[in-house]
Amino acid sequence: MNHTIKQAVYFLILLFSLNSAAQLETFDYSATLEKPSDQWHSIALPNEVFEHSKSDFSDIRIYGVNAKKDTLEVPYMMRKLSDKNITKKVDFKIINKAKNAEGYLFTFEIPSLTNINQMVLDFNGDNFDRKINLEGSNDQKNWFSVIEDYRILSIRNEITDYQFTTLRFPESKYRYFRVLVKGGRAAFPEIKTASITNTGTIAGTYRDYKVKSVETEVIKKQKLTKINIAFESPVLVSDLTIAIKDTFDYYRAIRIQYLLDSTKTDQGWQYNYRNLTNGVLSSLEEGNFSFTPTLVRKIRILVNDRDNRPLNVGGVSAKGYVHELLARFDEPADYFLAYGNKSMNKPSYDISRFTNKIPESPKPLSIKDTALIPKEIKAEAQPLFQNKIWLWLIMGVVIFLLGGMTMNMMKKA
């Protein structure tokens, strides 16, 4: 920001603070906004705003000063541009159960012909590792392969509770579906329940964050692998993907944590981590983990290796979905985004009750210059006489005068 722009920003901030009933000077930061061209606009918030705001973002405000020098507060709603999952359940019934030399067969009938791409099977039992074939047919005579040798797994013991029995496949439209659970005539649990759906995702808007460093440490005594991840600056992360180079099958319980704070003690630095999420890192699924958006600078992943060989980590990627404000601008003015006020409470605006009136895709409004709001420096009260010599001189004069008065009184006596 050059000197002229800085002067302009500070002038506007000063003008604002003189006229604002909301007392802009109680905020730490202010950013000028582009001139609104419509009544409704969206404002994508950069990470800098979250870094200096309250954890629940309740201290974010939009203010304006119009031509009459009146102060305006702009109502807004915050929206998270995350993925939206669309799931349509499909009615079905199991019409046949059988077993042959290959394994167990379950036949599903779909009453109305529709596309499906996912089955979730819930078996009445635990601890199995099988392969599945899925076929489709419209007459139960001609069967067509949908997926082959698809692995399902269940492990439940005092250490692990993990199950992967979700079949995902390309969209298929058949009247009948047949599931073959391979395994010969060996005993196998019955299907307790099932869910058949057509599932899709409307992709959200994300920011990809560059990882500064990834350091892996194997702690043999604790049978743990520790993965330390650092970013250049604080970022609002909601998704983490862990890439594993190994090609063998694995499943490991993991904890994902972030560094909350640190304290220097006589024994050195003590680091306080807080949990983001727990899960399982498995060769059957992509190593993607989602959690509540959290402002982080360092992340730690703890992988429970138990008695297994440590995994070879290929890399870690992070992203977070964009947060934006949907704001209504009712008249021309110079508008500002203010944030950084720990005593501010969450605002309550009427527009939260009329969300159907908010356009789905309002025109974006950019944030221009950000500045630290200058605070009024209160002059520290100074003693009347800072130099002790002056104090001694005055005391000497006082003593001299008192002595003279005393002598005069004695003479008169």
Side-chain angles (χ1 to χ4, degrees):
M1 187 187 303
N2 62 39
H3 184 67
T4 304
I5 295 176
K6 279 187 177 180
Q7 285 186 325
V9 170
Y10 291 148
F11 174 75
L12 290 172
I13 289 172
L14 179 61
L15 179 65
F16 200 145
S17 62
L18 291 174
N19 291 278
S20 175
Q23 296 182 336
L24 184 65
E25 65 272 10
T26 63
F27 292 85
D28 291 332
Y29 292 88
S30 175
T32 57
L33 296 177
E34 180 187 0
K35 286 282 186 182
S37 58
D38 297 323
Q39 185 180 31
W40 288 94
H41 283 280
S42 63
I43 304 168
L45 298 176
N47 279 299
E48 290 80 2
V49 172
F50 303 119
E51 182 180 356
H52 300 292
S53 298
K54 293 174 66 175
S55 59
D56 61 355
F57 317 138
S58 59
D59 58 333
I60 296 175
R61 295 291 187 276
I62 303 173
Y63 294 125
V65 177
N66 62 16
K68 297 178 181 180
K69 303 298 183 290
D70 295 327
T71 300
L72 313 172
E73 182 168 349
V74 175
Y76 72 84
M77 285 189 63
M78 183 176 286
R79 179 168 67 176
K80 306 170 186 177
L81 302 183
S82 55
D83 291 343
K84 293 182 180 179
N85 296 319
I86 301 173
T87 300
K88 179 184 178 183
K89 288 190 174 181
V90 177
D91 293 330
F92 69 94
K93 59 181 178 179
I94 299 177
I95 61 173
N96 191 26
K97 300 178 182 179
K99 59 183 177 180
N100 59 22
E102 289 188 81
Y104 289 75
L105 288 164
F106 302 91
T107 304
F108 299 85
E109 180 182 11
I110 312 296
S112 57
L113 204 61
T114 185
N115 284 330
I116 70 168
N117 59 10
Q118 181 172 281
M119 282 189 183
V120 180
L121 306 178
D122 185 9
F123 293 94
N124 189 20
D126 302 310
N127 297 311
F128 54 81
D129 185 355
R130 297 293 181 94
K131 296 289 184 68
I132 277 183
N133 285 354
L134 177 64
E135 298 176 311
S137 173
N138 287 319
D139 56 12
Q140 295 196 76
K141 295 178 181 179
N142 300 304
W143 291 92
F144 303 92
S145 176
V146 178
I147 52 176
E148 293 183 349
D149 291 333
Y150 192 99
R151 191 178 181 189
I152 59 171
L153 178 69
S154 173
I155 301 171
R156 177 172 292 179
N157 52 42
E158 66 279 2
I159 299 174
T160 303
D161 185 0
Y162 174 71
Q163 183 166 286
F164 180 73
T165 57
T166 299
L167 313 184
R168 297 185 179 93
F169 46 88
E171 284 199 354
S172 304
K173 184 185 290 187
Y174 294 105
R175 182 74 184 277
Y176 304 95
F177 286 88
R178 185 167 67 184
V179 175
L180 169 64
V181 183
K182 295 183 178 182
R185 296 185 179 276
F188 187 76
E190 289 281 336
I191 291 181
K192 183 170 59 177
T193 60
S195 172
I196 298 178
T197 59
N198 186 12
T199 302
T201 301
I202 300 176
T205 303
Y206 288 83
R207 289 191 181 106
D208 293 316
Y209 298 122
K210 184 179 180 181
V211 175
K212 179 182 178 182
S213 64
V214 178
E215 297 177 353
T216 302
E217 177 187 0
V218 177
I219 308 173
K220 291 183 178 180
K221 288 185 178 180
Q222 300 179 34
K223 298 180 180 181
L224 285 176
T225 297
K226 185 188 297 183
I227 307 169
N228 293 310
I229 305 158
F231 300 91
E232 292 284 354
S233 60
V235 291
L236 197 66
V237 175
S238 59
D239 284 79
L240 205 66
T241 300
I242 308 166
I244 302 298
K245 291 182 180 180
D246 300 305
T247 57
F248 55 79
D249 287 326
Y250 56 85
Y251 70 94
R252 311 284 170 91
I254 71 168
R255 279 182 292 162
I256 301 177
Q257 305 173 322
Y258 73 99
L259 181 63
L260 181 64
D261 54 39
S262 57
T263 306
K264 191 173 184 179
T265 66
D266 294 339
Q267 290 75 36
W269 284 96
Q270 297 294 321
Y271 297 98
N272 180 18
Y273 283 86
R274 182 171 292 180
N275 259 27
L276 286 171
T277 188
N278 298 327
V280 173
L281 189 61
S282 168
S283 56
L284 299 180
E285 302 179 81
E286 294 182 3
N288 178 258
F289 299 89
S290 299
F291 39 84
T292 301
T294 307
L295 193 71
V296 303
R297 189 159 195 162
K298 291 185 178 181
I299 288 179
R300 180 175 73 179
I301 304 172
L302 301 177
V303 183
N304 186 357
D305 294 319
R306 293 169 29 188
D307 296 320
N308 300 290
R309 162 186 157 188
L311 296 173
N312 187 6
V313 179
V316 177
S317 59
K319 64 180 182 179
Y321 48 77
V322 172
H323 289 63
E324 68 177 12
L325 306 182
L326 302 178
R328 190 189 70 207
F329 297 87
D330 295 324
E331 62 177 278
D334 293 320
Y335 288 101
F336 306 82
L337 184 71
Y339 55 95
N341 184 334
K342 303 303 180 184
S343 63
M344 187 70 72
N345 295 320
K346 186 177 180 179
S348 177
Y349 299 123
D350 290 338
I351 61 173
S352 63
R353 301 180 182 274
F354 303 95
T355 56
N356 60 319
K357 300 292 182 67
I358 302 176
E360 181 62 29
S361 301
K363 184 178 177 181
L365 198 66
S366 63
I367 296 175
K368 291 184 177 180
D369 306 307
T370 301
L372 184 66
I373 296 177
K375 306 295 182 183
E376 181 182 353
I377 301 175
K378 294 182 179 180
E380 184 179 351
Q382 300 290 337
L384 181 61
F385 300 103
Q386 291 185 340
N387 195 324
K388 290 184 178 181
I389 295 176
W390 285 102
L391 182 62
W392 285 110
L393 287 173
I394 292 174
M395 289 178 65
V397 171
V398 171
I399 292 171
F400 176 78
L401 292 175
L402 288 174
M405 292 172 64
T406 303
M407 293 296 293
N408 290 331
M409 292 174 65
M410 291 176 66
K411 288 178 179 179
K412 291 179 179 179

